[in-house]
Amino acid sequence: MKKLISILVLGLAYLHLQATDKKPNFIVIFTDDQGYQDLGCFGSPKIKTPEIDQMAKEGARYTNFYSANAICSASRAALLTGRYPSRNGVFHVYYPGASQGLKPSEITIAEVLKTAGYRTSIIGKWHLGDRNQFLPTNQGFDSYFGIPFSNDMWMSKDLALADDIKLFGGVTVEQIKSGEASKAVKGEKRGGKVPLMRDEEVVEYPVDQTYITQRYTDEALKIIKESEKKKQPYFIYLAYAMPHVPLYASPKFAGKSARGPYGDTVEEMDYHVGRILKHLKSSGADKNTLVIFTSDNGPWNLGERGGSALPLRGAKFSTYEGGHRVPCVMWWPGTIPAGTDSAEIATTLDFMPTFAKLANAQLPNRTLDGKNIAPMLRDGNKGKSPYEKFYFWSKNHIEALRIGNMKLRMSWDKKNNVRKETELFNLEGDIAESHNLAPQMPEKVAAMTKMLLEAEQEQLVQAEFETPVPQAPSFTAATFIQSSGHQYKNVAKNAFDKNEKTRWTPKGQKNLWLQIEFKEAQTSSEFKITWEKEATYRYAIGTSMDGDNWDILLNKFGNRTRETVSKNSTSQKTYRFLRLVIFGAEKGTKIAVREFSY
């Protein structure tokens, strides 16, 4: 009998091991412009969200959860890459037909999870470039179904059209291809007529957004069921269009919310989140699926058409709490303790490292800003945040820094290119950021200001070195030189004499670079640069053996004159690539380097 019991125990242990080794599914539900208060479980007085409220009871509510940016494109790029805008290069919003997007060289969650056997799908808003090279299916996703940008935008004439495209409102293919379909009608505001895409092609134009929330959810459930049938783990990024304006709700929900049309859209999303959770429970996949509900940024300040970030200060576009802090509910029965109510800091940056850890997938060999928060999730109310600092980026600058409960904010005056004001808040007792402590705590302000400025500089510099330059062609000379401007004086085409006085005058652009690739590895302990004229830009010098992983030797900021600046290493550096980067050059500026020796 004892032998039988032992065998039974071993068998059960083996089955448990098999179950715990099963890769979890991931569903990220990402809403658009939903405010911190705009869920029942986050205190909304008029919006009813019983499904998400129940999700929080069965899982966790995180009240100090941040989106990594306060605007659409930048927040989405940060979520998918686990990197601040300074590193992934997405600082602004992309418009239809833009020549830029999320760089193909960036590695997304989808690309990481595909290496671990996951099916990867995005449904809804992409907003990281609508040209083919930037589309989701070229960024690690197996499939895409959705509106490629904000639902108030327009159709790009360059988008590929499906052979069986459905056209509405009298629109013709010829009007789309000529651009006529996206022009503003006299007396009307441009925008709001948007395409629906399947993978790389437009399948409907203009799409009727009345049922868009339902259609997105139907697509998610279809993928879930197909994956369950194939027994394949999946990652679904469900990026709802709502409650971004213009607001659309289906007839079942339109006019029902006490909060008006905005509330209608949120209550409809709540219903459809409930559909997903109910299916996971009925299929038995609930204990193997992590579902996260959160928003891309704070609410757009549009009165009744926008949401509420109360009791926080600020809204979308802002580095006050209301711009970045968003509602977040996570659900994973059996793993996340039910009823968790955590004030620990977590962010959308954490999805990449957390999912990779849980899926046993290899993280990319580059700097990530997100943290693995899996231990925090499992520990429930006892879980501790891995964060020491969190940076609030606004376009090309860090405007705020949070350390513990202290938050320093230094807003940027774009017109005059200077910091406008300095504010210091203790968020523990002042969640509304209404009491500026800066005048009373100058030492704290000075210390945090130093951290903020140094972090901004370090991240921007490192990002520039991580940005790949065009691959050099095969060359026979000792070196190959290329730059962002491709203009040279007194430089042999494919050669470089390290003692030659060289004038490098590239075309003016935001950041300028000059890279020297050596045929053979070099060893140096000193690097010198002499400017021909006075300059006020910051610059950096880095070395690399492979052109991908850089050791930044000199990171110089402030005014510079014609004097030579040198950097002596504690040990000699061996390298095949040497790069000089100059930051913040204005359009049309020409910068001359008289000597760059090593």
Side-chain angles (χ1 to χ4, degrees):
M1 185 66 179
K2 289 183 180 179
K3 185 177 181 180
L4 178 61
I5 292 172
S6 298
I7 292 171
L8 181 61
V9 169
L10 287 170
L12 289 172
Y14 174 70
L15 289 173
H16 177 72
L17 181 62
Q18 280 189 315
T20 54
D21 279 351
K22 189 176 180 182
K23 293 182 184 295
N25 307 307
F26 305 107
I27 302 175
V28 173
I29 302 171
F30 209 45
T31 64
D32 198 350
D33 291 359
Q34 185 171 359
Y36 184 77
Q37 192 191 51
D38 295 333
L39 290 174
C41 56
F42 274 79
S44 177
K46 293 183 177 181
I47 299 174
K48 293 180 171 58
T49 53
E51 300 294 342
I52 298 172
D53 295 352
Q54 183 62 28
M55 179 183 173
K57 290 177 182 176
E58 296 175 4
R61 184 181 80 127
Y62 293 95
T63 57
N64 269 282
F65 188 87
Y66 289 100
S67 180
N69 206 267
I71 57 174
C72 299
S73 298
S75 67
R76 293 161 198 276
L79 180 154
L80 288 172
T81 64
R83 288 150 60 88
Y84 284 121
S86 53
R87 303 195 207 278
N88 65 45
V90 180
F91 292 96
H92 306 279
V93 169
Y94 295 120
Y95 290 92
S99 60
Q100 296 179 319
L102 179 64
K103 293 177 292 189
S105 59
E106 284 296 315
I107 298 173
T108 67
I109 297 174
E111 289 173 288
V112 169
L113 292 179
K114 274 178 73 70
T115 65
Y118 277 71
R119 177 177 180 175
T120 57
S121 301
I122 170 175
I123 303 158
K125 181 174 178 177
W126 171 241
H127 215 175
L128 292 172
D130 62 356
R131 292 186 181 250
N132 192 66
Q133 68 267 33
F134 304 126
L135 289 174
T137 48
N138 290 315
Q139 304 270 20
F141 287 95
D142 294 318
S143 63
Y144 174 49
F145 180 70
I147 299 167
F149 27 68
S150 292
N151 71 324
D152 63 342
M153 291 189 174
W154 53 90
M155 174 78 167
S156 168
K157 65 183 179 65
D158 299 322
L159 285 173
L161 308 181
D163 292 338
D164 58 349
I165 184 173
K166 294 179 181 178
L167 299 174
F168 304 98
V171 175
T172 66
V173 169
E174 291 71 26
Q175 287 176 325
I176 294 174
K177 290 184 175 180
S178 69
E180 185 69 25
S182 14
K183 288 183 179 177
V185 177
K186 189 173 181 180
E188 295 182 11
K189 185 179 178 181
R190 184 186 190 189
K193 294 181 179 179
V194 290
L196 181 70
M197 297 187 72
R198 169 83 62 186
D199 299 330
E200 295 94 21
E201 296 180 330
V202 176
V203 293
E204 292 181 25
Y205 179 76
V207 62
D208 180 1
Q209 296 189 55
T210 304
Y211 293 94
I212 200 68
T213 300
Q214 177 181 318
R215 293 182 69 183
Y216 284 169
T217 311
D218 290 345
E219 180 76 7
L221 285 166
K222 173 175 168 286
I223 292 168
I224 290 170
K225 292 172 184 177
E226 289 175 354
S227 300
E228 288 174 346
K229 190 174 181 180
K230 294 179 181 178
K231 293 181 169 51
Q232 182 180 14
Y234 56 83
F235 164 51
I236 295 176
Y237 174 35
L238 177 53
Y240 283 130
M242 298 297 122
H244 193 288
V245 291
L247 301 166
Y248 288 91
S250 65
K252 183 176 179 180
F253 296 91
K256 303 294 171 58
S257 174
R259 182 58 169 75
Y262 180 92
D264 292 341
T265 68
V266 176
E267 291 182 10
E268 178 161 16
M269 287 190 295
D270 176 73
Y271 169 79
H272 289 292
V273 169
R275 289 177 62 203
I276 293 172
L277 300 182
K278 285 180 177 67
H279 171 78
L280 293 173
K281 289 177 180 179
S282 65
S283 70
D286 54 333
K287 290 181 172 55
N288 194 49
T289 305
L290 170 58
V291 182
I292 301 173
F293 181 96
T294 190
S295 175
D296 65 340
N297 45 246
W300 206 340
N301 193 8
L302 297 171
E304 285 300 305
R305 292 189 302 137
S308 170
L310 291 176
L312 309 177
R313 178 179 180 180
K316 180 179 179 177
F317 309 116
S318 167
T319 50
Y320 287 114
E321 291 293 290
H324 284 251
R325 199 190 293 203
V326 288
C328 179
V329 176
M330 298 195 195
W331 182 87
W332 190 358
T335 298
I336 296 177
T340 295
D341 198 42
S342 175
E344 294 294 311
I345 295 174
T347 81
T348 53
L349 295 165
D350 306 331
F351 296 168
M352 161 86 87
T354 303
F355 293 178
K357 181 67 175 179
L358 293 169
N360 197 27
Q362 185 69 40
L363 283 171
N365 182 26
R366 58 184 57 192
T367 303
L368 295 180
D369 297 298
K371 317 291 184 184
N372 171 24
I373 59 170
M376 187 183 98
L377 304 186
R378 289 192 178 106
D379 290 344
N381 287 324
K382 295 180 180 179
K384 295 299 179 184
S385 172
Y387 277 88
E388 294 181 2
K389 303 171 187 174
F390 177 72
Y391 299 102
F392 297 70
W393 277 91
S394 178
K395 296 187 178 177
N396 298 79
H397 295 279
I398 296 177
E399 277 199 356
L401 163 63
R402 178 173 177 176
I403 302 177
N405 286 313
M406 299 305 295
K407 178 178 174 182
L408 176 78
R409 185 173 181 273
M410 303 174 69
S411 57
W412 185 260
D413 182 346
K414 184 179 179 181
K415 183 178 180 180
N416 297 305
N417 213 31
V418 294
R419 300 277 177 181
K420 283 194 298 187
E421 57 186 338
T422 298
E423 298 169 295
L424 182 69
F425 303 107
N426 185 340
L427 297 176
E428 184 175 20
D430 184 21
I431 194 174
E433 295 172 292
S434 57
H435 303 292
N436 183 9
L437 303 175
Q440 302 160 237
M441 305 178 71
E443 292 182 359
K444 174 67 76 173
V445 168
M448 291 183 71
T449 297
K450 184 174 184 291
M451 291 180 196
L452 183 152
L453 296 177
E454 286 180 350
E456 177 182 290
Q457 295 163 0
E458 179 271 329
Q459 288 185 35
L460 289 172
V461 169
Q462 188 175 49
E464 192 65 30
F465 279 90
E466 286 186 358
T467 301
V469 304
Q471 186 174 359
S474 177
F475 59 96
T476 57
T479 60
F480 181 84
I481 305 173
Q482 55 180 324
S483 81
S484 50
H486 307 289
Q487 288 187 351
Y488 305 93
K489 292 181 181 179
N490 303 332
V491 181
K493 186 175 181 181
N494 286 334
F496 188 83
D497 178 352
K498 67 180 182 179
N499 295 313
E500 179 184 349
K501 290 184 178 180
T502 303
R503 287 181 175 81
W504 167 51
T505 314
K507 293 177 182 178
Q509 50 192 277
K510 191 170 183 180
N511 292 337
L512 309 173
W513 54 265
L514 179 145
Q515 180 166 298
I516 308 165
E517 181 176 343
F518 299 88
K519 196 79 173 176
E520 304 292 337
Q522 306 289 305
T523 301
S524 305
S525 60
E526 185 179 72
F527 300 83
K528 294 183 179 180
I529 181 167
T530 306
W531 305 92
E532 189 162 87
K533 295 181 180 180
E534 290 187 0
T536 56
Y537 304 109
R538 60 184 187 266
Y539 66 99
I541 297 171
T543 60
S544 174
M545 280 299 294
D546 58 9
D548 293 322
N549 299 289
W550 290 85
D551 184 8
I552 300 171
L553 305 178
L554 181 65
N555 184 358
K556 183 79 175 176
F557 296 86
N559 295 330
R560 297 175 299 286
T561 63
R562 300 181 190 184
E563 64 181 311
T564 299
V565 179
S566 64
K567 168 73 176 181
N568 292 297
S569 304
T570 54
S571 59
Q572 290 190 328
K573 296 292 179 185
T574 302
Y575 54 92
R576 280 192 57 245
F577 296 84
L578 179 63
R579 190 186 295 185
L580 164 67
V581 179
I582 301 169
F583 299 88
E586 296 176 2
K587 188 175 181 181
T589 299
K590 291 185 177 181
I591 298 175
V593 177
R594 183 155 58 88
E595 182 182 9
F596 185 22
S597 60
Y598 43 89

